[in-house]
Amino acid sequence: MERQPETELMNEEEQARAYALADFSEPHENFVELFKQSFPGVVVTGDVLDLGCGPADIAIRFAKRFPDCQILAVDGAEMMLKFGQEAIEAARLSRQITLKKIYLPTDSLPHKTYQAIISNSLLHHLQDPRVLWQTVKQYAQHGASVFVMDLMRPRSESAARDLVEEYAGNEPDILKRDFYHSLLAAYTVGEVEEQLEREVLLEFSVKPVSDRHFIVAGTV
Ligand SMILES: C[S@@+](CC[C@H](N)C(=O)[O-])C[C@H]1O[C@@H](n2cnc3c(N)ncnc32)[C@H](O)[C@@H]1O
């Protein structure tokens, strides 16, 4: 099935609320667990950059796992950041996580480089996937741990519909709609390997980790 791009920013209020309220505990806990497995023994203590952070659930889980790091979490959608700020305050992590409205690509992050760069489910939103990989190259410090997770495009629209029913069957229609469009907009593992080759990010490896997710991990 051909890739069908979707809108980059998730800035509709209803859409952002549905996303913020959805239960992503399984894939998001898995995100942090797979980060740890990909970088065994690494204790993240410095500045971390979360690209396309949405309502900050990943940043919160990462902050709890690595309490000595400082996270800058960026997103271009104001509405997502509003829900993210509420979640950070509820988790009492305002001192460890800072949110910033940034539309990528950008030259205006507060630090020149970061010790770790993480991103979940941003890549498939980007009209140009080079934005993610070039941002990683621009802001990763030497030795940085880079960890990206995203959806994998299924073989067909009917396979995408099956995944929506299996994993979001009880969620509001707007979330199901977005999940479906995200699956159609997602990249295949082969396409991501080509993106990394083109950007000469040869130290990164791509690996499927579930029926709908792959990870990309590597040390810069
Ligand atoms: C599917 S959400 C993922 C949110 C979060 N990482 C998570 O896993 O819960 C994708 C996010 O990327 C943001 N986004 C898409 N394109 C962007 C861009 N060019 N610059 C900044 N944020 C972007 C959207 O606004 C949205 O909040």
Side-chain angles (χ1 to χ4, degrees):
M1 173 178 64
E2 287 279 294
R3 174 172 188 261
Q4 298 175 38
E6 68 169 341
T7 317
E8 282 203 331
L9 298 184
M10 295 176 69
N11 216 7
E12 289 171 37
E13 180 163 10
E14 203 194 335
Q15 170 187 49
R17 177 177 291 109
Y19 194 89
L21 291 176
D23 180 9
F24 287 116
S25 51
E26 187 237 301
H28 290 185
E29 266 310 298
N30 206 24
F31 181 99
V32 183
E33 190 49 44
L34 290 166
F35 177 96
K36 288 197 78 166
Q37 287 175 21
S38 302
F39 304 101
V42 169
V43 179
V44 185
T45 54
D47 289 306
V48 176
L49 179 59
D50 179 2
L51 299 170
C53 64
D57 189 55
I58 290 271
I60 289 170
R61 290 173 195 274
F62 199 88
K64 288 181 177 165
R65 197 68 76 97
F66 297 107
D68 294 325
C69 73
Q70 280 293 323
I71 303 178
L72 174 68
V74 304
D75 200 288
E78 186 127 30
M79 204 41 84
M80 278 293 196
L81 295 176
K82 175 176 159 291
F83 288 107
Q85 194 54 45
E86 288 171 12
I88 290 167
E89 282 161 23
R92 297 174 180 274
L93 288 168
S94 307
R95 274 196 279 179
Q96 204 188 343
I97 306 172
T98 305
L99 295 184
K100 203 165 161 62
K101 186 178 161 203
I102 296 273
Y103 179 74
L104 300 166
T106 181
D107 283 327
S108 55
L109 294 185
H111 294 297
K112 276 206 168 114
T113 59
Y114 292 79
Q115 186 193 332
I117 299 183
I118 58 175
S119 182
N120 185 53
S121 284
L122 166 69
L123 180 64
H124 71 265
H125 277 274
L126 298 172
Q127 300 308 312
D128 181 353
R130 288 176 300 183
V131 167
L132 175 59
W133 308 120
Q134 290 177 0
T135 302
V136 163
K137 288 200 281 194
Q138 185 180 352
Y139 286 105
Q141 75 178 44
H142 184 68
S145 308
V146 174
F147 187 80
V148 170
M149 185 160 95
D150 213 298
L151 294 168
M152 264 180 321
R153 189 166 76 251
R155 286 180 322 282
S156 63
E157 292 186 7
S158 104
R161 274 193 291 274
D162 288 347
L163 287 171
V164 172
E165 274 319 305
E166 184 166 356
Y167 294 106
N170 297 322
E171 299 288 356
D173 283 348
I174 192 163
L175 198 83
K176 287 162 94 169
R177 177 203 75 181
D178 281 356
F179 185 28
Y180 179 68
H181 288 143
S182 290
L183 286 164
L184 304 191
Y187 292 98
T188 63
V189 166
E191 287 166 348
V192 176
E193 282 169 347
E194 281 170 24
Q195 292 166 16
L196 294 170
E197 260 172 49
R198 245 179 276 132
E199 294 302 321
V200 205
L201 284 166
L202 304 177
E203 62 278 47
F204 289 7
S205 61
V206 192
K207 188 167 83 173
V209 289
S210 76
D211 55 357
R212 62 206 187 285
H213 293 112
F214 62 80
I215 57 170
V216 178
T219 304
V220 173

